[in-house]
């Protein structure tokens, strides 16, 4: 069995299991985040999920999580520079999170330097989402502590490389690596720990949990789906997103229109195009998650669906995957 003291994620955070319940829009409701942390892993708050999808005042939502668990939790911050208003909102969320005791942060889609500079003096730890070594090298220069390696089996904005290739190319940078994507069973988790990853991040597996507030249609779609049912669509955010192929998806297609593609590639206009797509996708995903198949069913999921055959309490999921990680050699 692995020694928790030698695991960099466990030694820094003080949690029992090297397992993250990844931040998900719109599925990261307070009860799910709290249940994942209470069971010994780290639940990650997705701010817009907490406020926009679930209608919480941000500080009140964090206090709700704290009322359900005294264990560490984390915050996801997208550092995309597309909107000054958005960036200022992220800065406000960061400050409130620090005040409420958060010390673990997952950053993505931009330069995390300003977050590193703010949280490190307070004992904070920052892991950055990466899909290849180029972005990892940039984040390393910004002072991050580790990397969430998003592979080609992940849900949402998936990468293009396999878990094996990501590990081989990013491990030489000398920072702890978390495997994100395609982990649907405890055996999957153990396999990537044996590759050398310090931990795993689960998303789709936690949607199929009793604490997740997603509509049962969404959860049942995950149980029924196979890896071959996961397709990439550009119609949600303008860049490929992994979703379950449904009748609605097949009917509408998966490619963005020619004008959208031109705007997304334009040096000056791409940020505005991404903002428009983001606002559109926030509404689409929120309603699909809450209303089920009565709405256009855009259901984000990764190829880990192959290993998911039941809806379980989040605590049970955390314990099964966590113990598999600790026992892996």
């Amino acid at each position: 069995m692995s020694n928790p003291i030698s695991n960099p994620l466990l030694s820094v955070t003080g949690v029992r299991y090297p397992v993250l319940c990844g931040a998900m829009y719109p599925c990261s409701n307070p009860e799910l985040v709290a249940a994942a942390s209470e069971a010994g892993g780290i639940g990650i708050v997705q701010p817009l999920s907490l406020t926009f999808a679930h209608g919480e005042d941000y500080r009140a939502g964090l206090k709700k999580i704290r009322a359900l668990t005294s264990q560490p939790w984390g915050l996801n911050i997208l550092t995309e520079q597309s909107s000054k208003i958005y960036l200022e909102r992220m800065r406000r969320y960061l400050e409130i999170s620090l005040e409420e005791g958060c010390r673990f942060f997952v950053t993505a889609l931009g330069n995390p330097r300003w977050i590193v500079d703010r949280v490190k003096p307070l004992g904070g730890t920052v892991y950055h989402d990466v899909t290849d070594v180029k972005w990892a090298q940039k984040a390393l220069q910004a002072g991050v502590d580790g990397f969430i390696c998003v592979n080609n089996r992940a849900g949402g904005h998936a990468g293009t490389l396999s878990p094996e290739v990501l590990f081989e190319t990013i491990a030489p940078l000398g920072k702890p690596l978390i495997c994100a994507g395609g982990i649907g069973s405890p055996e999957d988790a153990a396999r990537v720990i044996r590759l050398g990853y310090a931990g795993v991040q689960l998303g789709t597996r936690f949607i199929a949990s009793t604490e997740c507030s997603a509509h049962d249609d969404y959860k049942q779609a995950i149980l029924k789906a196979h890896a071959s049912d996961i397709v990439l669509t550009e119609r949600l955010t303008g860049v490929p997103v992994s979703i379950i192929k449904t009748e609605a998806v097949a009917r509408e297609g998966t490619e963005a229109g020619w004008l959208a593609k031109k705007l997304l590639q334009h040096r000056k206009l791409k940020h505005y195009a991404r903002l428009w797509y983001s606002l559109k996708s926030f509404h689409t995903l929120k309603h699909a998650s809450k209303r089920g198949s009565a709405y256009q069913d855009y259901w984000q999921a990764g190829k880990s669906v192959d290993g998911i055959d039941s809806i379980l309490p989040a605590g049970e999921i955390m314990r099964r995957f966590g113990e598999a990680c600790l026992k892996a050699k």
Side-chain angles (χ1 to χ4, degrees):
M1 179 179 292
S2 299
N3 180 2
I5 302 300
S6 67
N7 183 294
L9 181 63
L10 301 186
S11 62
V12 167
T13 61
V15 300
R16 182 177 181 183
Y17 299 127
V19 179
L20 277 60
C21 174
M24 297 175 286
Y25 183 89
C27 295
S28 293
N29 54 294
E31 295 80 7
L32 175 59
V33 173
S37 288
E38 180 66 15
I42 309 176
I44 307 296
V45 172
Q46 209 295 324
L48 296 182
S49 181
L50 188 64
T51 57
F52 182 71
H54 299 287
E56 300 280 355
D57 169 80
Y58 187 67
R59 190 184 297 274
L62 297 186
K63 289 185 179 296
K64 178 181 288 188
I65 292 170
R66 177 56 66 224
L68 295 171
T69 183
S70 61
Q71 300 304 308
W73 49 275
L75 173 68
N76 173 234
I77 304 179
L78 304 182
T79 58
E80 169 64 47
Q81 302 285 325
S82 60
S83 164
K84 290 184 179 180
I85 295 175
Y86 174 82
L87 191 57
E88 284 305 309
R89 181 177 294 178
M90 290 300 109
R91 291 182 184 276
R92 187 169 72 252
Y93 290 155
L94 175 62
E95 292 303 320
I96 293 173
S97 298
L98 286 168
E99 291 169 8
E100 294 299 326
C102 183
R103 292 297 182 269
F104 185 80
F105 303 88
V106 176
T107 56
L109 296 182
N111 189 338
R113 168 61 73 180
W114 65 271
I115 298 165
V116 171
D117 289 346
R118 180 69 184 98
V119 308
K120 280 294 187 68
L122 301 177
T125 298
V126 181
Y127 275 57
H128 191 69
D129 274 5
V130 295
T131 54
D132 62 39
V133 69
K134 175 180 69 173
W135 302 116
Q137 289 169 333
K138 289 180 178 294
L140 184 65
Q141 294 172 3
V144 301
D145 300 285
F147 302 107
I148 312 291
C149 298
V150 184
N151 61 52
N152 59 0
R153 295 180 60 81
H157 291 102
T160 59
L161 302 175
S162 70
E164 294 80 7
V165 171
L166 277 176
F167 183 82
E168 290 171 3
T169 55
I170 299 178
L173 298 182
K175 295 293 183 179
L177 308 183
I178 305 299
C179 184
I183 303 169
S185 70
E187 293 75 22
D188 292 333
R191 179 178 58 81
V192 298
I193 294 297
R194 286 191 289 268
L195 279 176
Y197 282 97
V200 297
Q201 177 172 283
L202 312 181
T204 307
R205 173 62 270 196
F206 277 112
I207 297 174
S209 70
T210 53
E211 286 84 357
C212 182
S213 62
H215 195 283
D216 190 59
D217 285 352
Y218 191 172
K219 298 180 183 182
Q220 292 301 321
I222 289 173
L223 301 189
K224 295 174 184 177
H226 299 286
S228 57
D229 298 316
I230 304 301
V231 298
L232 296 174
T233 181
E234 298 174 343
R235 297 179 70 87
L236 274 174
T237 65
V239 295
V241 176
S242 297
I243 61 172
I244 300 173
K245 185 176 182 179
T246 62
E247 291 183 3
V249 171
R251 183 171 60 251
E252 295 185 9
T254 57
E255 292 191 10
W258 68 269
L259 178 58
K261 289 184 177 181
K262 288 287 187 182
L263 292 174
L264 287 164
Q265 294 169 359
H266 193 280
R267 184 172 62 87
K268 294 183 177 181
L269 298 178
K270 63 182 180 181
H271 294 302
Y272 298 102
R274 288 175 186 170
L275 177 61
W276 181 84
Y277 261 111
S278 295
L279 294 173
K280 174 176 174 286
S281 67
F282 288 158
H283 287 278
T284 300
L285 293 172
K286 173 184 176 180
H287 293 310
S289 174
K290 290 182 176 295
R291 301 183 192 178
S293 58
Y295 195 76
Q296 297 286 39
D297 39 357
Y298 280 99
W299 292 325
Q300 295 184 91
K303 293 184 178 180
S304 60
V305 292
D306 268 346
I308 304 173
D309 58 9
S310 59
I311 298 171
L312 296 171
E316 181 64 21
I317 295 170
M318 182 61 72
R319 283 186 287 272
R320 291 186 182 186
F321 283 77
E323 291 296 333
C325 289
L326 293 183
K327 293 177 181 177
K329 296 180 179 179

